[in-house]
Amino acid sequence: MRMRTSLLAVALVVVVVAGGVSPAGAITDGTPDGNKHPQVGALIADHMFADGTWAYCSGTLISPTVFLTAAHCGKPGQTTARVSFSTHYRDGDTVYSGRYIADPSYGGRHSDPHDMAVVVFTKAIPNITPAKLPTANLLDRLKDDHTLATATFTPVGYGSPAPTDGPDGETYLYTDTRNQTSGSFLSLEKVWLRLSQNPSTGDGGTCHGDSGGPDFLGGPDSDLLVATTITGDSACRATNVDRRLDSASARRFLGRFVALP
């Protein structure tokens, strides 16, 4: 999964890359998002990490009172979570606490692990317009009319920037900053959207700490949220694997909390 290894772990993490798929993380080959996506926030840990940072996963406001993230960002038995919408979080910035609810089917089969969760606030988040959700089967329709293959996607999140090679593997440095990048289409499955993040083809993507964050359909100003970051390759240089929000199973969970288009 593309979350930080542990909510209490050292934030400057060295990972020995052995290939394969690992949890998702930070935006790679990206740029600071600034105020382009104010509805994108970070899950803030109860205790500061060893490097002085706080964010451990990402997510998106999808209604004035509902924040969408990934279920694997939570801990067993977790009932609350803290969210910041600061472009660069600093201790003392405004944090909103809400009820953390994971999809009750989370942890199922690999083909559909139901890796979704929401944070529900008692009061509307002020001065932020929520992201738009897709209509049912939107990505299938785009595939059928041959526009999906050339579509641009914009992942956003608070994860680690591009990892640095070292003698012991990859080093991931966290900055508590909201970043964005651009990726292109790779493949579409029943509940998965796979995006390229190969820098040699001009694509950026996600890395450790970006889990639960949005993949917007369109360019850097888009607010149409079609998938959430879940996982990818361990080196954060090839594939961004995302949970489709237009799928029937995703809509069943989301429909418990928001009105769907």
Side-chain angles (χ1 to χ4, degrees):
M1 307 298 176
R2 290 201 190 279
M3 68 173 289
R4 292 173 80 155
T5 305
S6 168
L7 303 193
L8 299 176
V10 174
L12 182 59
V13 183
V14 177
V15 178
V16 177
V17 177
V21 174
S22 73
I27 296 297
T28 63
D29 299 299
T31 58
D33 182 73
N35 291 315
K36 288 186 180 294
H37 298 97
Q39 66 276 86
V40 179
L43 290 176
I44 302 299
D46 293 333
H47 303 280
M48 184 177 64
F49 290 96
D51 66 347
T53 63
W54 294 83
Y56 62 91
C57 271
S58 304
T60 313
L61 193 70
I62 58 172
S63 89
T65 58
V66 179
F67 179 83
L68 175 64
T69 187
H72 73 256
C73 290
K75 297 181 290 185
Q78 181 172 342
T79 58
T80 61
R82 305 194 310 151
V83 178
S84 168
F85 294 95
S86 296
T87 59
H88 175 67
Y89 178 77
R90 296 176 177 85
D91 188 22
D93 284 357
T94 299
V95 171
Y96 301 93
S97 296
R99 187 161 53 107
Y100 175 85
I101 306 170
D103 188 325
S105 299
Y106 171 61
R109 60 190 185 280
H110 175 73
S111 60
D112 187 0
H114 296 268
D115 198 346
M116 305 175 68
V118 293
V119 181
V120 180
F121 308 106
T122 56
K123 295 181 179 180
I125 301 299
N127 305 316
I128 296 178
T129 301
K132 298 174 182 176
L133 290 171
T135 54
N137 304 313
L138 171 64
L139 296 178
D140 293 300
R141 295 197 300 276
L142 295 179
K143 183 178 180 180
D144 290 343
D145 69 16
H146 306 292
T147 58
L148 187 60
T150 57
T152 296
F153 295 84
T154 302
V156 183
Y158 287 78
S160 172
T164 301
D165 289 327
D168 297 318
E170 302 285 346
T171 300
Y172 299 88
L173 177 67
Y174 299 95
T175 64
D176 284 350
T177 300
R178 185 169 64 224
N179 290 291
Q180 65 159 291
T181 191
S182 178
S184 58
F185 175 73
L186 271 183
S187 66
L188 189 69
E189 301 170 25
K190 185 176 180 180
V191 302
W192 299 112
L193 169 67
R194 296 176 186 269
L195 302 178
S196 168
Q197 63 177 73
N198 187 343
S200 67
T201 58
D203 292 319
T206 60
C207 194
H208 303 283
D210 289 323
S211 279
D215 294 281
F216 294 105
L217 175 61
D221 297 316
S222 174
D223 64 351
L224 178 55
L225 172 60
V226 296
T228 54
T229 295
I230 300 297
T231 189
D233 67 289
S234 58
C236 305
R237 289 175 179 162
T239 307
N240 178 15
V241 182
D242 309 304
R243 167 77 179 185
R244 291 176 58 174
L245 300 182
D246 64 332
S247 67
S249 64
R251 288 173 64 86
R252 280 193 295 272
F253 176 69
L254 293 172
R256 295 172 51 193
F257 306 99
V258 297
L260 296 174

